[in-house]
Amino acid sequence: MKIERERGISVSASVMSFEHEGLMFNLLDTPGHEDFSEDTYRTLTAADAAVMVLDAAKGIEPQTLKLFEVCRLRDNPIVTPSSTRWTARRRTPIELLDEIASKLALDPAPLYWPAGSGNRFKGHGRRA
């Protein structure tokens, strides 16, 4: 959508389906911005689980915290597979893990660790 390109954010929910090992998965992408949160709240009522993507530069934003609480109230499992913007000026991975622990009352356990930071970051297709 034109407004999504202009603002650089999702403004409406979208769905992508795929099959894996005989199971059907429906991925529901919802806006994270509070101006468009009604779509997200409606989508969470139909979801079995959620994927939370954090911005390593901004950390846990107020809207993310609200949506996390909705998932917690509905007993929806939440997975955080990665964080974005590792090349930007950001929190260190330890600071982000501490923030997850303190604000979300979780015990995070990283499976992957970023190699380098800022201009020295390596990964996600960035050339060394």
Side-chain angles (χ1 to χ4, degrees), residues 68-121:
F68 178 84
E69 290 304 324
V70 170
C71 290
R72 182 174 268 166
L73 289 171
R74 296 187 45 78
D75 290 326
N76 284 359
I78 300 174
V79 175
T80 302
S82 65
S83 298
T84 60
R85 296 177 41 126
W86 283 111
T87 56
R89 181 165 170 73
R90 58 169 174 77
R91 293 162 173 76
T92 67
I94 294 291
E95 289 170 331
L96 192 56
L97 291 174
D98 286 345
E99 186 176 14
I100 290 169
S102 66
K103 286 189 176 180
L104 302 179
L106 295 173
D107 296 320
L111 298 176
Y112 303 98
W113 200 257
S117 62
N119 290 333
R120 297 182 324 205
F121 174 74

Side-chain angles (χ1 to χ4, degrees), residues 29-63:
D29 181 22
T30 61
H33 194 275
E34 66 182 325
D35 291 349
F36 306 100
S37 61
E38 195 57 40
D39 264 359
T40 304
Y41 292 126
R42 279 195 303 268
T43 301
L44 285 174
T45 64
D48 295 323
V51 176
M52 177 175 61
V53 179
L54 300 175
D55 183 324
K58 295 178 183 177
I60 298 172
E61 298 178 84
Q63 184 65 11

Side-chain angles (χ1 to χ4, degrees), residues 2-60:
K2 182 179 177 185
I3 189 170
E4 289 178 331
R5 286 191 305 272
E6 289 171 357
R7 296 184 74 167
I9 60 172
S10 297
V11 298
S12 63
S14 60
V15 65
M16 179 186 81
S17 298
F18 66 93
E19 190 174 329
H20 178 70
E21 296 183 3
L23 299 172
M24 180 59 81
F25 290 84
N26 295 305
L27 295 178
L28 307 165
D29 181 22
T30 61
H33 194 275
E34 66 182 325
D35 291 349
F36 306 100
S37 61
E38 195 57 40
D39 264 359
T40 304
Y41 292 126
R42 279 195 303 268
T43 301
L44 285 174
T45 64
D48 295 323
V51 176
M52 177 175 61
V53 179
L54 300 175
D55 183 324
K58 295 178 183 177
I60 298 172

